[in-house]
Amino acid sequence: MDWFGRAKISFTHHASPLTLQQKDGTTTDLLKVCEQATPPCQLNPLLFNGHVQTMWTVVKEHGPQIYYRRKIFDSDHKLYNGTFTVDFVTEPHQDFEEKLPPRTAYFSEQAFANLPSDDSKPMLIVLHGLSGGSHEIYLRHAILPLVESGKWEICVVNSRGCANSAVTSGLFFNARATWDVRQVVKWARKNFPNRPLFGVGFSLGANILTNYVGEEGEGCLLKGAIAVGNPFNLDVTNRALRRTHLGRLYQRVMGTNMKKLVANHKETVLKYTNLDYDRIQNITYLNEFDREVQTVTWGYPTEDAYYRDASSCDAVLGIRIPFMALSAADDPIAVEEAIPYQEIKQNPYTVLCLTSLGGHLSWFEVGGGRWHTRPICNFLNKMAFEIDLDAIKPDACDKFDSQFRTHFDPVQRKLQILDLDQ
């Protein structure tokens, strides 16, 4: 038992973690960087298990004051067209937009045109959780020290339809929807050629980020990434939630949030999609929502097929950049049994940091602070300012060939994106 909120911390890693050269000329490795980035985990003893930690998030605190400017991007995907929004952290301002999240306003065309730069400040690209956005408190806690340091540039990619963004093509998002973050990373590399790029994802955003990094393999433009509270295996996670009363409660809450998201875009749904709006509004649980929306939108035969295909547990094997996963063993949503321990052990580019307490994206400390802020910021600062990033030469992704001329591709999907010309 973890007494008085003192959580145990364990690390899962390859037998020979990725070797890293430091800027002072010495050598370290990815495991040591993760260990040094992770402080003792002392949480609020009154929030004594994962359920209590997770449920405490409904206590609405104001959270850190982070200010954003929003840009609407036109999707460059030839099939998944439409728009999505990116919120860039800015200096405090007062010209808020009433229809946007707090402390958020649109860029003027001129201000956005002036954004490209030759500076070498590290840049962080953030992905939020299910139905969330740049306004989420856990996210603002996580990036606050980086913002206050003045050494980082940060933006948040909002999933389509989230954070008061419009849905302009009938497409929302799913757990393997990596095309928007891929476009933002390419845009950032083009417009900020000297900035080292990093990524952090939370919950569903962690699953998307892991899929993206795995798909990119040795060609990934990010220099490092962190996945926080990643559900990894969505099929296992779904079954774990459905088997208990509290799990079904979480499913109900998430299903309700997704119904509200669709209701906010009713006109667009009716105009651009063949979704049954009334059936969606009558669902109760998240898996029922996915049955009505994800299977119809993307062509999966069942929600279970969608969960299996969109999971990121296999994509872990394709990662070829320094990658840290941060999870809690008592997370009641991104459950421990879904963590791909063996895959992490096979890949020297990946390390899992697991705390025995913390709940789902919670990790509440005495006084209301959030513990996850420190390992996230410590890891990013160590990678950006202490590690010689140019010395990292990713290996080609191993396809796991066998003596019988077979191979396993960790990012091969069952859902195929057909060429529009076919």
Side-chain angles (χ1 to χ4, degrees):
M1 180 175 181
D2 304 281
W3 293 98
F4 303 109
R6 184 74 166 194
K8 300 182 182 70
I9 300 174
S10 62
F11 294 89
T12 301
H13 55 88
H14 189 273
S16 300
L18 176 68
T19 298
L20 297 170
Q21 299 296 322
Q22 299 191 99
K23 292 181 178 179
D24 64 5
T26 61
T27 299
T28 185
D29 62 48
L30 182 58
L31 174 60
K32 291 187 177 72
V33 169
C34 293
E35 289 176 333
Q36 292 166 3
T38 306
C41 185
Q42 178 63 56
L43 304 182
N44 189 331
L46 298 179
L47 307 177
F48 51 85
N49 65 28
H51 292 296
V52 182
Q53 279 274 342
T54 301
M55 292 177 182
W56 192 250
T57 58
V58 303
V59 178
K60 298 296 184 182
E61 58 160 319
H62 294 296
Q65 303 290 294
I66 304 293
Y67 293 78
Y68 297 102
R69 293 280 182 183
R70 174 168 292 189
K71 175 62 178 177
I72 300 174
F73 278 69
D74 291 310
S75 174
D76 64 4
H77 197 287
K78 62 182 180 181
L79 182 59
Y80 301 132
N81 57 4
T83 60
F84 63 94
T85 64
V86 181
D87 292 343
F88 293 77
V89 175
T90 65
E91 295 293 329
H93 58 84
Q94 297 301 319
D95 49 340
F96 310 141
E97 302 278 349
E98 183 178 347
K99 294 184 178 181
L100 297 184
R103 297 172 300 279
T104 304
Y106 286 107
F107 271 111
S108 68
E109 290 187 12
Q110 187 60 53
F112 188 76
N114 292 336
L115 208 58
S117 171
D118 290 329
D119 69 57
S120 58
K121 293 174 67 175
M123 184 170 184
L124 179 64
I125 298 169
V126 186
L127 302 183
H128 59 79
L130 182 72
S131 73
S134 61
H135 59 282
E136 293 290 348
I137 294 175
Y138 63 78
L139 186 157
R140 288 185 281 132
H141 270 286
I143 67 175
L144 178 64
L146 302 180
V147 174
E148 291 180 333
S149 74
K151 297 179 179 179
W152 286 79
E153 297 293 339
I154 303 171
C155 68
V156 182
V157 182
N158 294 309
S159 293
R160 300 191 188 192
C162 293
N164 297 8
S165 61
V167 176
T168 56
S169 65
L171 284 174
F172 286 90
F173 58 90
N174 70 25
R176 63 156 296 193
T178 56
W179 31 88
D180 290 346
V181 65
R182 180 174 289 106
Q183 179 176 338
V184 172
V185 171
K186 289 180 178 178
W187 173 88
R189 172 49 56 240
K190 178 181 178 181
N191 288 279
F192 308 105
N194 298 320
R195 289 182 181 177
L197 305 178
F198 296 87
V200 61
F202 298 91
S203 194
L204 185 77
N207 190 79
I208 294 172
L209 180 64
T210 304
N211 275 328
Y212 163 72
V213 174
E215 289 169 2
E216 295 297 288
E218 63 272 23
C220 187
L221 297 177
L222 300 179
K223 294 297 186 180
I226 309 176
V228 187
N230 189 352
F232 283 113
N233 190 323
L234 304 181
D235 189 38
V236 169
T237 301
N238 172 57
R239 294 176 189 278
L241 287 169
R242 289 167 59 186
R243 79 167 70 109
T244 68
H245 291 298
L246 280 174
R248 288 190 291 274
L249 173 61
Y250 297 128
Q251 281 264 30
R252 179 189 291 268
V253 171
M254 291 186 286
T256 298
N257 289 340
M258 293 306 295
K259 280 199 301 185
K260 291 178 180 177
L261 184 67
V262 170
N264 290 338
H265 302 281
K266 179 179 179 179
E267 182 178 340
T268 303
V269 169
L270 295 176
K271 180 178 180 180
Y272 290 110
T273 78
N274 61 345
L275 298 175
D276 190 323
Y277 180 83
D278 292 333
R279 284 177 64 92
I280 294 171
Q281 293 307 308
N282 285 326
I283 65 98
T284 300
Y285 302 108
L286 179 61
N287 67 295
E288 296 173 341
F289 174 89
D290 291 332
R291 185 183 307 154
E292 295 297 333
V293 175
Q294 303 294 14
T295 62
V296 176
T297 300
W298 307 102
Y300 289 105
T302 66
E303 70 267 30
D304 291 343
Y306 158 62
Y307 294 145
R308 290 190 293 271
D309 199 42
S311 294
S312 61
C313 45
D314 288 342
V316 167
L317 293 165
I319 293 172
R320 290 298 179 270
I321 62 170
F323 182 92
M324 180 180 183
L326 184 61
S327 299
D330 66 352
D331 190 325
I333 295 174
V335 294
E336 184 185 5
E337 63 189 278
I339 295 175
Y341 283 103
Q342 295 304 314
E343 286 75 11
I344 291 169
K345 288 179 179 179
Q346 284 216 25
N347 191 342
Y349 291 84
T350 62
V351 171
L352 166 70
C353 173
L354 184 73
T355 60
S356 57
L357 302 172
H360 187 63
L361 305 183
S362 301
W363 287 290
F364 283 100
E365 300 172 310
V366 175
R370 308 289 277 270
W371 175 83
H372 66 273
T373 296
R374 286 181 284 162
I376 291 172
C377 294
N378 289 347
F379 176 82
L380 291 170
N381 281 323
K382 282 182 173 294
M383 290 300 303
F385 301 115
E386 297 180 19
I387 300 301
D388 182 356
L389 299 174
D390 293 332
I392 301 174
K393 306 298 181 184
D395 300 322
C397 181
D398 187 352
K399 299 300 183 183
F400 307 99
D401 295 323
S402 79
Q403 62 176 321
F404 299 108
R405 301 179 63 83
T406 64
H407 73 270
F408 175 80
D409 185 344
V411 294
Q412 179 64 47
R413 300 297 184 181
K414 293 183 177 66
L415 184 72
Q416 299 297 306
I417 299 176
L418 300 179
D419 192 314
L420 290 178
D421 298 327
Q422 293 180 347

